[in-house]
Amino acid sequence: GENVEQHPSTLSVQEGDSAVIKCTYSDSASNYFPWYKQELGKRPQLIIDIRSNVGEKKDQRIAVTLNKTAKHFSLHITETQPEDSAVYFCAASSDSNYQLIWGAGTKLIIKP
Amino acid sequence: DTEVTQTPKHLVMGMTNKKSLKCEQHMGHRAMYWYKQKAKKPPELMFVYSYEKLSINESVPSRFSPECPNSSLLNLHLHALQPEDSALYLCASSQDNPSNEQFFGPGTRLTVL
């Protein structure tokens, strides 16, 4: 079955710097890759997603890149702000599988 | 309405109690999900309902019993739980399958004494 690995588990960056979180997946049939942000005590919220027919997608300070050949995708956050502090989860799914397979999560800490 | 709602927000129950968690969405989504989330871990899928039919049961113990009365409602009936079942229980919905955005409810924080 599908397996998603996420690194690093904790990432501490200076406010204003960029942050990059990486995920790899095992199932070549996976075609949908969302990123969720979860603040302490809150629900996971989708911040960006990408499908396998696209290599990159941007939304203001957030971007996701996908390398289908290498089976990895990354989240890039530029000009980090204190409100970016949260746990970020990557996930993967395919049309044939009614499940999101989740990465273990990355705790992002923005230092003032 | 673009929200998934869940009640109650918090629940404390003893091991002999019976209680139910409720989830509602009015976005016309046809897939609904129950997840269990422990601290510092990703959500763990428990059940998936697709078009009001149970399509996935991830080997969840029978003390958890899901129910989908209609396309907008999802319940999780709890009976004879164990302390290790204490967790955040999240409901989510999506248009029809996971290749569409899943919208999460705020969760029910469950404590089993």
Side-chain angles (χ1 to χ4, degrees):
Chain A
E2 174 67 286
N3 182 51
V4 175
E5 294 193 359
Q6 183 172 346
H7 299 280
S9 56
T10 305
L11 178 60
S12 184
V13 302
Q14 205 69 39
E15 182 179 349
D17 288 350
S18 295
V20 180
I21 302 170
K22 297 182 180 181
C23 289
T24 60
Y25 62 99
S26 60
D27 187 353
S28 55
S30 290
N31 61 356
Y32 176 64
F33 307 93
W35 285 90
Y36 282 85
K37 174 184 180 182
Q38 188 174 27
E39 297 175 57
L40 192 63
K42 301 276 184 71
R43 72 188 86 188
Q45 290 202 293
L46 182 79
I47 55 170
I48 197 166
D49 56 9
I50 193 167
R51 298 184 187 276
S52 57
N53 58 348
V54 174
E56 182 175 3
K57 185 176 176 181
K58 286 184 83 170
D59 182 3
Q60 299 183 335
R61 296 187 297 110
I62 294 171
V64 56
T65 58
L66 171 64
N67 183 328
K68 282 192 299 182
T69 305
K71 295 202 198 101
H72 66 71
F73 56 112
S74 299
L75 177 71
H76 305 253
I77 305 174
T78 58
E79 300 172 15
T80 52
Q81 299 169 3
E83 54 265 34
D84 295 330
S85 294
V87 178
Y88 291 81
F89 293 102
C90 64
S93 74
S94 65
D95 287 339
S96 60
N97 190 345
Y98 262 76
Q99 295 190 43
L100 276 180
I101 308 301
W102 296 74
T106 295
K107 183 175 182 180
L108 177 61
I109 301 165
I110 308 301
K111 297 180 289 186
Chain B
D1 188 350
T2 57
E3 262 207 325
V4 177
T5 58
Q6 287 186 246
T7 56
K9 287 186 179 178
H10 301 275
L11 179 62
V12 179
M13 59 188 289
M15 288 190 283
T16 58
N17 292 156
K18 282 186 183 182
K19 296 285 184 184
S20 296
L21 309 183
K22 296 186 183 302
C23 174
E24 192 166 359
Q25 57 89 12
H26 294 289
M27 294 179 278
H29 289 171
R30 302 316 299 267
M32 295 186 77
Y33 312 80
W34 279 116
Y35 288 90
K36 173 183 177 180
Q37 188 177 28
K38 291 278 207 179
K40 302 181 182 178
K41 297 288 187 184
E44 180 185 339
L45 185 66
M46 300 174 72
F47 302 104
V48 181
Y49 273 83
S50 175
Y51 292 86
E52 300 157 56
K53 288 187 166 43
L54 184 64
S55 62
I56 292 180
N57 173 343
E58 286 291 319
S59 303
V60 179
S62 59
R63 57 187 184 267
F64 296 92
S65 174
E67 179 195 18
C68 189
N70 60 53
S71 61
S72 301
L73 292 173
L74 188 65
N75 298 322
L76 186 64
H77 302 297
L78 314 173
H79 173 55
L81 294 193
Q82 305 295 310
E84 59 265 29
D85 296 322
S86 298
L88 180 67
Y89 287 83
L90 293 160
C91 173
S93 70
S94 68
Q95 277 189 353
D96 48 17
N97 65 53
S99 292
N100 291 289
E101 177 181 354
Q102 287 190 26
F103 291 78
F104 282 83
T108 294
R109 175 71 60 188
L110 174 67
T111 304
V112 182
L113 300 176

